[in-house]
Amino acid sequence: VQWVESGGGLVQPGGSLRLSCVLSGVDLRYYTMAWYRQAPEKGRELVARVPFGGGPIYADSVKGRFTISRDDAKNAGSLQLTNLKPEDTAVYYCNSHPNIDPWGQGTQVTVSS
């Protein structure tokens, strides 16, 4: 199993980013796809998840600002981040929920002026 995230970067407050994820080794259709983040000196936080054939669920902290999607034909997914805030700064990871080890490397999102 391999999760590969991309699309992070440095953005100003109020800006947007689109994170992408590709999964290899297992069929994503059997899993709920999820995005997590981990800020410095904090634990990993579940940000959003979307089950196969179901609707998305978001953490209160990102509701209305982030949009999760999945492309089962490509075994991939994405997370659209808008109206970013400094507190969104973290390493973002895609995985399933519950998660499957090992985790990918993640992609760094830094929100700063």
Side-chain angles (χ1 to χ4, degrees), residues 39-71:
E41 300 182 1
K42 292 188 176 180
R44 193 165 286 162
E45 172 191 16
L46 176 62
V47 172
R49 65 188 190 270
V50 56
F52 176 70
I57 302 169
Y58 299 96
D60 288 343
S61 58
V62 306
K63 199 173 295 182
R65 300 188 298 120
F66 291 8
T67 303
I68 188 172
S69 63
R70 57 187 293 159
D71 185 341

Side-chain angles (χ1 to χ4, degrees), residues 6-99:
S6 62
L10 172 64
V11 63
Q12 293 185 342
S16 300
L17 283 172
R18 185 176 183 87
L19 309 183
S20 298
C21 170
V22 177
L23 169 64
S24 59
V26 294
D27 189 336
L28 183 60
R29 290 175 298 175
Y30 294 109
Y31 300 94
T32 290
M33 182 172 185
W35 284 89
Y36 303 75
R37 67 185 180 186
Q38 187 165 17
E41 300 182 1
K42 292 188 176 180
R44 193 165 286 162
E45 172 191 16
L46 176 62
V47 172
R49 65 188 190 270
V50 56
F52 176 70
I57 302 169
Y58 299 96
D60 288 343
S61 58
V62 306
K63 199 173 295 182
R65 300 188 298 120
F66 291 8
T67 303
I68 188 172
S69 63
R70 57 187 293 159
D71 185 341
D72 296 302
K74 296 182 179 179
N75 231 38
S78 66
L79 186 69
Q80 180 71 42
L81 289 63
T82 63
N83 192 20
L84 282 161
K85 304 176 181 181
E87 53 263 42
D88 295 317
T89 294
V91 178
Y92 285 70
Y93 302 87
C94 63
N95 206 304
S96 63
H97 180 71
N99 69 278

